[in-house]
Amino acid sequence: MHTTIVEVGPRDGLQNEARVLPADVKIELIERSVAAGITRIEAVGFAHPARVPRLADAEQVMAGVPRPGGVSYIGLVLNRRGLDRALAAAVDEVNAVVVATDTFCVRNQGVTTDAAMDAFEGIAGAAADAGVRCGITIAAAFGCPFEGETPPARVAGLARRAHAAGAREIALADTIGVGVPGQVRDLTRRVRAAAPGVPLRFHFHNTRNTGYANALAAVAEGVTVLDAGTGGFGGCPFAPAATGNIATEDLLYALHREGVTTGVDPEAVAATGAWLGGHLGKPAPALLGRAGTFPPPPDRR
């Protein structure tokens, strides 16, 4: 089995850090990710610069990234203005975010969930007209810091609307890291029923040390695309006590030891995680780089 890693470190990994990294460092992070074998990268976010200042240089970053064949750069968008900027910057894909609960959605993007879905429908149509692949992330799909448990039926309903709007991919995000494997299994089956034929992707944070178990549960359900962030940095600026993404290098360790192929070099990613920690002024939360030599996967023949 093969799993595609979507590297979200350049966007989600940096948007909530104390240090603002210059564009050339972000570009080098992307270059290192490409060299390690990662082929889908969430390179930038087109949020309002006043709300998320660490992503204000999105156009400059996109102007400097390498453009090898087979590598796809994703731009995060929240509204039509963000889409227009993303298209002008020549991203390969756009990914829109809709938060599953109203309170969090208002804090994150200034509108209710229903209004954000209305905006997504317009974004998906305009992206299709431009010939650019458009996916959606349903954030806080497992739980909300303001409203508590997110009803699974609500997530399925949003997925149904996304499917009708033409979403090319649906990502379910455990934005605050409250999910467990049973929820992964349940949401996978509900969303597949609500949006038949649409590829499913998961985005996990490791707030309560369940992120990697959740990722493996998704793989066991046949999910073949997972988000992760080099070094394990990140978090949402609008979620209290938000912690980092599952670390790309640690996820690679788990997947490879399970016999899942990714095409990505975990030691190269671990070296990049340590390098990124130096720029951020703190050690990477990821453990692989500190655990010694990366052992080969076991022979399961």
Side-chain angles (χ1 to χ4, degrees), residues 37 90 95 143 156 169 188 195 211 271-272:
N95 186 67
E169 181 178 64
T188 298
T272 297

Side-chain angles (χ1 to χ4, degrees), residues 17-112:
E17 290 297 323
R19 288 191 181 179
V20 180
L21 299 187
D24 62 333
V25 174
K26 296 176 183 178
I27 292 167
E28 184 174 350
L29 171 59
I30 292 166
E31 290 172 340
R32 284 170 167 263
S33 298
V34 170
I38 296 172
T39 57
R40 291 183 73 193
I41 300 172
E42 191 176 67
V44 288
F46 295 93
H48 194 291
R51 287 180 60 80
V52 191
R54 288 154 188 80
L55 304 181
D57 56 359
E59 284 85 356
Q60 184 180 354
V61 172
M62 284 304 302
V65 296
R67 295 281 188 168
V71 173
S72 184
Y73 293 121
I74 304 169
L76 181 88
V77 301
L78 299 176
N79 50 40
R80 183 57 187 269
R81 169 60 181 152
L83 174 66
D84 291 342
R85 290 177 60 198
L87 295 177
V91 300
D92 300 296
E93 309 176 44
V94 293
N95 186 67
V97 174
V98 173
V99 184
T101 61
D102 283 327
T103 305
F104 197 172
C105 199
V106 169
R107 291 190 181 223
N108 192 65
Q109 53 213 94
V111 297
T112 65

Side-chain angles (χ1 to χ4, degrees), residues 171-197:
L172 301 181
D174 186 8
T175 310
I176 58 170
V178 293
V180 295
Q183 289 176 284
V184 174
R185 292 188 288 270
D186 178 53
L187 283 177
T188 298
R189 296 166 191 178
R190 287 176 185 264
V191 170
R192 281 179 172 156

Side-chain angles (χ1 to χ4, degrees), residues 5 12 19 25 30 37 56-57 69 106 120 157 160 163 166 170 187 201 221 239 251 256 258 271 277-278:
I5 302 298
D12 198 6
R19 288 191 181 179
V25 174
I30 292 166
D57 56 359
V106 169
F120 171 73
R160 189 173 294 110
H163 178 230
I170 295 173
L187 283 177
R201 164 180 153 202
E221 288 293 310
L251 176 61
H256 291 181
E258 284 289 319

Side-chain angles (χ1 to χ4, degrees), residues 124-145:
D129 291 343
V132 173
R133 189 172 189 262
C134 179
I136 186 173
T137 292
I138 301 175
F142 292 76
C144 171

Side-chain angles (χ1 to χ4, degrees), residues 250 253 266-267 270-271 286-296:
D250 291 349
Y253 176 84
E267 292 188 354
L287 296 176
L288 179 61
R290 289 180 266 166
T293 304
F294 184 81

